[in-house]
Amino acid sequence: MPSPALEPPRNRLKRSAELTLCACVLVAQSMVAAINLLIPQLSSSSVHPSPAELLWTVDAYVIVFAGLLIPAGALGDRYGRKGALLCGLGLFAAGAAVSSLATGPAQLIAGRGVSGAGAALIMPATMSILVRTASPGQRPRAIASWALAAGLGGFAGNAFGGMIGQYLPWRALFWLMVPLAALLALAVARTTPLTETSAGAAVDPLGAALLTGGLFAVLFGIIESPMYGWTSARILVAFALGAALLGAFTAHALRSRAPLLDPRVFRSRRLRAASLGTAASFFGLFSLFFVNSQYLQYVKGYGAARAGLAIIPLTAGMILVPKLAARWSGSPRPLVGGGLLLIGLGLLGASTAGAGTPYAAYTCWLLVISAGTGLSMPALALGVVTSLPPHQAGLGSGLGTSAREIGAALGVAVTGTVLAAHQEFASGMAAALRIVGLAVVAAAALVTAWYGAGAGRTSPPAAVRVAAGGDADELPYEPSRT
């Protein structure tokens, strides 16, 4: 009888369940970006947030979301993925309701944080359910759909937030999320199968507290750095505290018999490469999101709705290219390296845009970035999840999504810092996109090298490869179990 870690999925994934899970991902990810286009409304609203409170209104969701992802994934693996997903949708709706009723900045920020906690439960649970219920033949397509939904969430947030910012009061964004989350919960209850819980998935309360605290501190330092400066005492203390907590987590995990996340998983070159590639792609995408709406509104003179819709060309490659890339899913190295290279080159091209640049020319660079994202994102998502044993699929999804959110936060922080150093927006945008584009190109070279390292080794038994959804030589160890 096969061990639980290698037991293949028993049921084929139904299309209705796949669409429902991907819709949950899209909605959770969209709330990262949607709030950005409501900042002008919020700043003049009856809530009267200060500039610092506006920043926290945007960032509270991201910090809680990213900080809780890995523990939330482990909780779903251990106690039930469908239950974790339904709880996440409930928290997401509750936070949106609190934000919509806010009479002051503190209530608005608290609501955003509660919604972020819900999103932290949603994202790893959806990926884990897909991995556990899809047959080996379905798995690459299912993970590509999940990655597409996560990527489209940013674009949906821009478009949706822009429409609300121009035509509706800001509270409408949060009110609409409440019935939408309820509809998704009903769809999950009706379409999504239960999956077996994983007794071997460790929750590790002390490890979860250390890891979450460390990630919170690092994210705080990244997100606040544009306002206070990278060398300010506040930011340096945040980074030092984050490093200390993450160091303590590493020491604890190496000693523990059942750690939340064993640091030795990063012996896998595939996992290191996929995590870095995921962070680099979102580093580039969210840098573009941060400057795009401002460029189109302040430099090109677009309204909020038009600016939100003008980024839609970015969706073209993400929808069309993965279908083509699926033909080469067995050779992820060129997909990942080539995709990241296209993202970097597209950002370098977009850095040349100015007031006189026709929108059609600007769109060409968006299409290059879109094609690169469509090539690399599904392979990167698959690389993270299949680098861990199947019973830790939720933990793997949490790790991959943490890389996304940390990359996104760093992209916004670096871009904001560069913009603050320039008096004119156009010159600051050009400098920021050049820096970010070059960083993504460098990451593409490193990720490609890691993906290629160790090629040609003897393949493991077919049963192991099928159960893991990838090469078992990328599973360097089997974690201790309780």
Side-chain angles (χ1 to χ4, degrees):
M1 181 175 180
S3 66
L6 299 179
E7 185 177 357
R10 295 180 178 177
N11 302 308
R12 287 182 61 83
L13 176 66
K14 294 181 179 179
R15 190 64 173 169
S16 58
E18 182 181 345
L19 291 173
T20 297
L21 294 170
C22 289
C24 294
V25 171
L26 188 147
V27 170
Q29 195 68 44
S30 71
M31 288 298 280
V32 176
I35 194 69
N36 289 314
L37 286 95
L38 300 181
I39 288 176
Q41 264 203 42
L42 280 169
S43 60
S44 59
S45 70
S46 60
V47 177
H48 297 304
S50 67
E53 289 166 339
L54 268 177
L55 182 66
W56 274 102
T57 299
V58 173
D59 293 339
Y61 185 87
V62 179
I63 288 179
V64 177
F65 184 8
L68 292 178
L69 273 165
I70 294 176
L75 283 171
D77 285 340
R78 182 66 180 268
Y79 297 110
R81 301 170 182 91
K82 185 174 180 178
L85 175 54
L86 290 171
C87 288
L89 288 167
L91 278 175
F92 183 85
V98 169
S99 294
S100 68
L101 296 171
T103 57
Q107 185 178 350
L108 178 60
I109 294 167
R112 288 279 288 167
V114 172
S115 289
L121 284 165
I122 291 169
M123 294 293 283
T126 51
M127 170 68 87
S128 186
I129 292 170
L130 287 173
V131 170
R132 297 290 290 182
T133 58
S135 66
Q138 290 179 310
R139 192 173 295 134
R141 189 205 71 198
I143 294 179
S145 298
W146 186 95
L148 173 64
L152 290 179
F155 313 133
N158 274 277
F160 189 51
M163 297 292 288
I164 289 177
Q166 186 152 343
Y167 300 114
L168 294 172
W170 64 267
R171 295 180 191 272
L173 172 67
F174 301 105
W175 273 124
L176 290 171
M177 289 298 111
V178 177
L180 180 57
L183 287 173
L184 288 173
L186 178 62
V188 167
R190 292 178 63 88
T191 67
T192 303
L194 289 169
T195 60
E196 294 181 3
T197 58
S198 300
V203 176
D204 185 13
L206 176 58
L210 291 171
L211 179 60
T212 301
L215 288 175
F216 279 167
V218 170
L219 286 165
F220 175 88
I222 291 172
I223 290 170
E224 294 280 293
S225 58
M227 176 173 290
Y228 296 101
W230 289 91
T231 58
S232 68
R234 179 188 300 244
I235 302 305
L236 292 177
V237 168
F239 284 139
L241 178 61
L245 289 173
L246 292 175
F249 167 77
T250 301
H252 165 75
L254 291 173
R255 292 194 305 266
S256 175
R257 296 185 61 185
L260 176 69
L261 174 66
D262 194 319
R264 285 168 288 198
V265 297
F266 290 102
R267 289 176 180 169
S268 166
R269 285 183 288 266
R270 178 69 56 86
L271 181 60
R272 292 200 304 269
S275 299
L276 175 61
T278 299
S281 62
F282 272 69
F283 175 66
L285 284 175
F286 273 77
S287 174
L288 177 68
F289 290 157
F290 187 74
V291 299
N292 175 75
S293 61
Q294 297 178 72
Y295 166 70
L296 294 175
Q297 291 183 80
Y298 302 150
V299 179
K300 301 295 287 183
Y302 289 13
R306 189 180 178 191
L309 294 173
I311 204 170
I312 283 181
L314 267 172
T315 65
M318 295 192 63
I319 294 172
L320 300 175
V321 174
K323 296 179 181 179
L324 180 64
R327 300 178 183 178
W328 301 293
S329 59
S331 302
R333 186 186 185 195
L335 297 179
V336 170
L340 288 173
L341 182 61
L342 284 177
I343 293 173
L345 295 177
L347 291 168
L348 292 173
S351 71
T352 64
T357 303
Y359 175 70
Y362 182 63
T363 298
C364 290
W365 297 117
L366 297 185
L367 291 173
V368 172
I369 296 169
S370 177
T373 305
L375 274 178
S376 61
M377 194 175 294
L380 289 168
L382 187 64
V384 172
V385 173
T386 59
S387 293
L388 291 172
H391 75 277
Q392 289 189 310
L395 182 61
S397 175
L399 180 61
T401 310
S402 290
R404 291 169 182 262
E405 301 309 320
I406 291 172
L410 188 58
V412 171
V414 169
T415 304
T417 301
V418 176
L419 285 175
H422 291 76
Q423 293 184 343
E424 295 184 356
F425 176 82
S427 62
M429 171 180 163
L433 291 182
R434 280 196 299 270
I435 291 170
V436 173
L438 290 171
V440 174
V441 170
L446 184 56
V447 169
T448 302
W450 278 345
Y451 257 88
R457 286 178 295 179
T458 302
S459 296
V464 176
R465 293 200 308 273
V466 168
D471 292 338
D473 58 0
E474 295 300 340
L475 303 178
Y477 82 111
E478 178 73 10
S480 301
R481 299 188 183 185
T482 53

